[in-house]
Amino acid sequence: MAVKVIGAGLAGCEAAWQLANAGIETELYEMKPVKYSPAHHYEGMAELVCSNSLKAARVDSACGLLKEEMRRLGSLIVPCAEATSVEAGGALAVDRTKFSDLVTQKIKEHPYIKVISEEVTSVPEGDVIIATGPLTSGALAESIAEKCGSYLSFFDAAAPIVTFDSLDTDIVFFASRYDKGDADYINCPMTKEEYELFYNELVNAESASLKEFDRESFKVYEGCMPVEVLAKRGPDTMRFGPLKPVGLTDRRTGKRPWAVVQLRKENREGTMYNLVGFQTNLKFGEQKRVFSLIPGLKDAEFVRYGVMHRNSFINSPKLLKPTFEMRDIPGLYFAGQITGVEGYVESAASGIMAGLNLARKLAGKSEFVMPRETMTGALSLYISDSFNDGNFQPMGSNMGILPELPERIKDKKKKYQMYAERALEKMEELLAAER
């Protein structure tokens, strides 16, 4: 019986490619051209619906490292992107039509892949990889929700995330309100003048435009009030909400601050923190400009900006193993943005991992998990770590999710280079052991 892969986007194509190259009969289901999502218009597979860029090409960048790891795992997408690339400085950008056509050609020519053009409305039985993306159609989304015990979100309202080592520790401090419980939050204290400057810039900052299908979702989603919208309700609204200073003392003055921005640990290692209550629809450049006005965040490194858009994704830390297989339903795998990885390349990488692991399972081999020092391994761990299951939000590749180096290196370029060297060394050790 053939394995089924649902969805012929970047993740689905990579998953099918891994399975087929392992000699496994694979049925790749894609509802185009029978039916299109609100964001898709081209008939071909692996359609890039937003930017045509697959981000930085250099290996000492987060996405460049991820692409190099994918190449070494036998990626389909990376060589197709390189073959259809266009000039884009240090980024790998593609002619999106030629890229889609080449991926489609490779998939259709593979003797072990059968492409079936029809909409799948329920999760099939047997060995399956679901790679239907953030705009999964209604009937299938309902079926997925049933399989996942309703742990399926339909809107991505996430706050920005910064690295811990980029914070100004002369200003920020760990404390709990009234010193009760563990001091789990980082606090950024504001004076009245600092707050008023921040407030004025926030309410006058430029928001990103929402696509039509995002606007429809935004109207009915009630738990994602953007911080800039909240601020416009009045200058003191935030001070009685996410920025309330009660129970906290600014260690520099010995007094209660006028307002406090709190940061909450984003991962188990404490290398990343999110801005509590700061879900936002501001443009990325505006987020960097305005949020850097928060005391202690002047030089903060943002590894993810806040986003608000329609994005179906499951609570992967509660449901998936780092192999992208369901913990409680053996043989059912997920891949792509529906797992909570964010970005073109990240989606494709998850497809590789899902396809590779299902192929190994069918061959009676052990599970394949990339070292946590690699970008692929760190992403796989992030979406499957139970630490995140209470407040899970999607994540793209960034150096902040990697374990820290043995020694602290201030020079960012050198630090990133050492991250990349360590990752590829760990990967080669694993692959050598597999040979």
Side-chain angles (χ1 to χ4, degrees):
M1 186 184 227
V3 168
K4 294 178 172 59
V5 177
I6 316 301
L10 297 167
C13 288
E14 287 281 26
W17 191 252
Q18 289 289 327
L19 288 161
N21 283 344
I24 297 169
E25 296 285 349
T26 303
E27 294 175 348
L28 178 58
Y29 288 78
E30 171 55 55
M31 67 180 189
K32 295 189 305 181
V34 177
K35 182 178 179 179
Y36 288 82
S37 82
H40 292 86
H41 307 285
Y42 191 61
E43 186 174 329
M45 300 176 191
E47 180 183 358
L48 304 183
V49 298
C50 297
S51 168
N52 69 327
S53 172
L54 274 64
K55 298 184 181 176
R58 66 184 192 281
V59 178
D60 60 352
S61 67
C63 208
L65 174 58
L66 183 59
K67 287 192 285 287
E68 179 58 29
E69 293 171 6
M70 291 166 61
R71 185 198 317 279
R72 299 184 185 199
L73 291 173
S75 169
L76 166 67
I77 295 303
V78 172
C80 285
E82 292 171 339
T84 58
S85 64
V86 297
E87 300 237 348
L92 175 58
V94 303
D95 178 315
R96 67 181 80 213
T97 300
K98 291 181 179 178
F99 171 71
S100 175
D101 289 345
L102 181 56
V103 173
T104 303
Q105 176 189 340
K106 295 280 188 184
I107 289 288
K108 288 187 172 180
E109 288 179 351
H110 201 295
Y112 284 95
I113 300 177
K114 179 182 179 181
V115 178
I116 301 175
S117 299
E118 66 178 56
E119 181 183 6
V120 176
T121 56
S122 62
V123 178
E125 297 297 324
D127 297 309
V128 180
I129 297 177
I130 304 290
T132 47
L135 298 179
T136 299
S137 60
L140 181 57
E142 290 179 9
S143 179
I144 292 171
E146 290 178 7
K147 291 282 187 183
C148 295
S150 298
Y151 290 110
L152 177 66
S153 299
F154 296 96
F155 207 86
D156 189 357
I161 297 172
V162 296
T163 60
F164 173 73
D165 63 7
S166 68
L167 305 178
D168 187 341
T169 53
D170 289 333
I171 297 175
V172 305
F173 60 93
F174 282 94
S176 60
R177 295 189 192 279
Y178 303 105
D179 292 321
K180 293 182 178 179
D182 296 330
D184 292 329
Y185 287 82
I186 293 177
N187 300 276
C188 306
M190 287 181 161
T191 64
K192 186 173 186 289
E193 294 74 21
E194 289 169 335
Y195 176 79
E196 288 176 347
L197 172 62
F198 169 73
Y199 174 81
N200 288 327
E201 293 301 317
L202 178 62
V203 296
N204 290 298
E206 187 176 359
S207 295
S209 59
L210 291 169
K211 296 182 183 295
E212 183 177 351
F213 48 87
D214 285 336
R215 286 197 297 271
E216 292 173 358
S217 299
F218 187 78
K219 290 175 185 176
V220 300
Y221 190 80
E222 299 181 5
C224 63
M225 175 70 67
V227 67
E228 64 272 16
V229 174
L230 179 65
K232 290 175 182 178
R233 293 183 173 182
D236 287 326
T237 307
M238 292 192 299
R239 292 183 60 242
F240 289 90
L243 273 66
K244 61 180 179 290
V246 296
L248 296 167
T249 301
D250 186 344
R251 66 185 184 187
R252 297 173 301 172
T253 65
K255 299 178 181 179
R256 188 174 83 174
W258 186 253
V260 171
V261 174
Q262 289 196 307
L263 310 184
R264 180 171 53 218
K265 189 184 291 187
E266 181 67 25
N267 61 345
R268 194 181 299 272
E269 294 78 13
T271 58
M272 301 184 295
Y273 279 75
N274 67 72
L275 280 64
V276 178
F278 271 64
Q279 58 268 16
T280 179
N281 193 45
L282 295 181
K283 289 186 172 181
F284 288 176
E286 290 288 78
Q287 291 184 45
K288 172 67 174 175
R289 180 181 69 84
V290 176
F291 298 154
S292 293
L293 294 173
I294 298 170
L297 272 61
K298 180 182 178 182
D299 298 315
E301 179 184 5
F302 288 79
V303 296
R304 174 191 165 123
Y305 288 106
V307 292
M308 303 194 76
H309 56 79
R310 181 179 168 185
N311 183 12
S312 301
F313 62 95
I314 62 175
N315 187 359
S316 293
K318 197 171 191 72
L319 301 168
L320 299 185
K321 299 193 289 186
T323 59
F324 293 84
E325 183 181 23
M326 287 279 286
R327 297 181 194 275
D328 298 331
I329 308 178
L332 177 57
Y333 292 73
F334 284 85
Q337 283 189 234
I338 199 168
T339 68
V341 298
E342 188 167 73
Y344 289 150
V345 182
E346 292 85 345
S347 295
S350 71
I352 291 177
M353 293 302 294
L356 188 79
N357 272 292
L358 179 50
R360 290 173 68 93
K361 184 185 185 79
L362 295 173
K365 296 181 180 179
S366 60
E367 295 177 335
F368 183 84
V369 178
M370 287 279 281
R372 62 195 302 270
E373 293 86 358
T374 64
M375 193 58 66
T376 308
L379 276 172
S380 301
L381 177 63
Y382 179 84
I383 65 98
S384 62
D385 189 348
S386 60
F387 176 86
N388 299 321
D389 70 9
N391 189 35
F392 180 60
Q393 290 291 347
M395 176 66 71
S397 58
N398 66 83
M399 295 300 191
I401 63 175
L402 297 175
E404 293 180 340
L405 295 165
E407 58 186 82
R408 185 167 184 178
I409 301 173
K410 291 184 178 180
D411 183 87
K412 185 185 292 186
K413 184 176 181 181
K414 183 179 180 182
K415 180 170 69 173
Y416 285 5
Q417 183 178 353
M418 292 189 69
Y419 273 138
E421 290 174 358
R422 181 184 66 176
L424 296 178
E425 286 175 6
K426 291 289 185 180
M427 183 175 184
E428 283 307 309
E429 289 174 8
L430 175 64
L431 295 181
E434 289 286 324
R435 294 187 187 109

